[in-house]
Amino acid sequence: LRNCLQRLRPRTLDILRKTYEDGKSSAEVGQETGLSAENVRQQLRRSRDEVRNCLGAGRQKGEDWKHAQIHE
């Protein structure tokens, strides 16, 4: 999982962290990043798709994604 998250753009990773680690709403994240709440939600959808695809590729390679650490 860590490898997949590291592949995301810094801005996208920041949006994910603010949403999932800090528990902020799309509106709050939008205010902090200068994006609309809808754009934040769109970024979240895209980034989840990217991570899901990356994890799927890792499973095909036999990587241990189930036990990956989210935080370093």
Side-chain angles (χ1 to χ4, degrees):
L1 179 59
R2 184 181 307 130
N3 290 335
C4 294
L5 291 173
Q6 289 174 346
R7 293 179 185 186
L8 297 175
R9 291 168 295 194
R11 182 176 183 175
T12 302
L13 189 55
D14 185 47
I15 291 170
L16 281 173
R17 286 191 170 134
K18 288 176 188 291
T19 301
Y20 294 111
E21 289 181 9
D22 300 341
K24 295 181 179 179
S25 69
S26 297
E28 291 171 318
V29 175
Q31 286 177 340
E32 292 181 15
T33 59
L35 301 170
S36 69
E38 178 57 35
N39 195 275
V40 169
R41 289 189 291 274
Q42 186 176 45
Q43 291 288 327
L44 288 169
R45 279 191 299 271
R46 289 178 181 164
S47 61
R48 286 189 301 257
D49 287 345
E50 287 182 48
V51 171
R52 187 178 304 112
N53 290 336
C54 178
L55 288 173
R59 278 193 301 249
Q60 292 172 0
K61 293 179 184 177
E63 295 175 5
D64 185 14
W65 61 273
K66 290 182 183 178
H67 300 99
Q69 296 290 323
I70 294 174
H71 307 286
E72 294 187 344

